[in-house]
Amino acid sequence: MRLNELIGKEMVNIYDGMRIGTVGESDMVVDQETGNIVSIILPNRGNAFNFWADRQKLVIPWEAVKKIGREVIVVDLDHTHMRLKNHSI
C-alpha cells in the first residue's frame, strides 16, 4: 500500500469505537531501510477548552492497524497507548 492511499482516511479505534483522527493531518515514522511505516502520529483533537493547553500527539504503532478500508482505518489501541508532547517530535 502506498502512503497516498492512506491520506484522507478516518482512523477509528476498535477498543472504544472513537474516531481518533484523519491520516493527512498526521506525521508518519518510516523505516529508512525498508520503507515500511513504523507508526502514525496524530495530533490531539483540540477544542475550545484545551486550545491553550500543552497539546500532545497520539502515536499509533503500525502493528495496531487491524484493517484498512475504503474510507476508514481500524486500529486497536487500549488506554495504555503512547502520547508524545509536541516538542518531542
Side-chain angles (χ1 to χ4, degrees):
M1 175 164 282
R2 295 180 175 264
L3 178 61
N4 65 350
E5 294 176 61
L6 298 177
I7 293 174
K9 294 184 188 285
E10 184 77 29
M11 298 190 84
V12 176
N13 189 359
I14 197 168
Y15 179 77
D16 58 10
M18 301 243 346
R19 287 190 257 166
I20 55 178
T22 303
V23 177
E25 302 169 354
S26 60
D27 292 317
M28 294 197 183
V29 177
V30 178
D31 184 315
Q32 292 180 0
E33 292 180 17
T34 65
N36 293 331
I37 299 171
V38 175
S39 59
I40 300 171
I41 304 170
L42 294 173
N44 231 4
R45 288 188 154 193
N47 61 37
F49 296 111
N50 69 3
F51 180 76
W52 298 108
D54 190 13
R55 305 218 22 219
Q56 296 179 332
K57 296 182 180 189
L58 176 63
V59 178
I60 303 168
W62 188 250
E63 296 82 34
V65 174
K66 299 303 177 190
K67 184 74 173 175
I68 300 173
R70 294 174 115 187
E71 298 177 8
V72 175
I73 299 173
V74 177
V75 298
D76 189 7
L77 294 174
D78 65 13
H79 66 282
T80 63
H81 62 273
M82 183 178 10
R83 292 185 183 273
L84 297 175
K85 299 222 180 203
N86 265 347
H87 62 274
S88 66
I89 295 185

